[in-house]
Amino acid sequence: MKNVILLGDSIRQGYDEFVAEGLSDVAQVYYPEENCRFSAFLFRSLDRWVQESGFGKEVDVIHWNAGHWDTLIQYQEERLTSPEVYREYIARIHRRIRKLYPTAIEIFATATPVLEEQYAADFKRLNSDVELYNKIAVEVLEKDCVLINDLYGVANGWSEEYYTDPTHPNVSGSILLGQHTAKMIRNVICTAKTQLLN
């Protein structure tokens, strides 16, 4: 059995169990019960979560995301994390993952679209910001050959019936995200196994 770690925000909390179900025959999947929140918090807490997994150094895949919290505009102020600071934290998280698990396959998931017209003025996100922060993360990570799980692309165009609120997919949406993620991780695991046998 392979060992997989899932880290991320409340969107991840919605689909993590479906990823575990989809990989139950090939991998043990660990994910924190808590929300991994914004990029600075994920960086600060990374070591604690990977220790809680109980996998030690035997980790085959780390799948993570950060972005929705970073784009949050609260009380009509600036975004919680500026694009420049977000870029820095994405790079720092990546470097720490590589130090902890130099042989693990690293996958970053893009943040999903929001129903921006449904937010109140004092607490909102904009899809243009979500797209910008996704682009920043991809630019930083693809240079080091990190795989990208484009969940924004999966959910783009979903109607309100797939959401519980302006940010979060409902069970139907979470199942789709989880199935897509499980399929990608399974393909990565199978490809790595084939390469080892050749």
Side-chain angles (χ1 to χ4, degrees), residues 29-99:
V29 180
Y30 164 80
Y31 43 85
E33 290 186 11
E34 68 182 303
N35 189 325
C36 299
R37 307 175 202 174
F38 47 97
S39 56
F41 186 79
L42 196 157
F43 177 73
R44 171 64 180 83
S45 307
L46 178 60
D47 283 44
R48 172 168 59 87
W49 289 322
V50 297
Q51 288 171 11
E52 288 175 359
S53 73
F55 293 153
K57 293 294 183 182
E58 303 301 318
V59 174
D60 300 283
V61 177
I62 297 183
H63 180 284
W64 64 283
N65 79 283
H68 268 307
W69 279 64
D70 297 276
T71 66
L72 177 64
I73 301 169
Q74 196 166 359
Y75 313 130
Q76 303 184 43
E77 294 285 342
E78 296 294 324
R79 290 162 290 200
L80 180 65
T81 308
S82 72
E84 295 77 18
V85 172
Y86 178 72
R87 180 183 296 274
E88 177 184 348
Y89 269 110
I90 291 297
R92 294 177 74 181
I93 294 165
H94 166 62
R95 288 196 301 269
R96 187 60 185 160
I97 288 172
R98 294 272 48 88
K99 185 171 180 63

Side-chain angles (χ1 to χ4, degrees), residues 27 29 46 52 67 80-82 104 112 177 185-186 193 195 198:
V29 180
L46 178 60
E52 288 175 359
L80 180 65
T81 308
S82 72
T112 49
L177 295 177
I185 294 173
R186 178 182 291 273
K193 183 177 180 180
Q195 289 174 344
N198 290 337

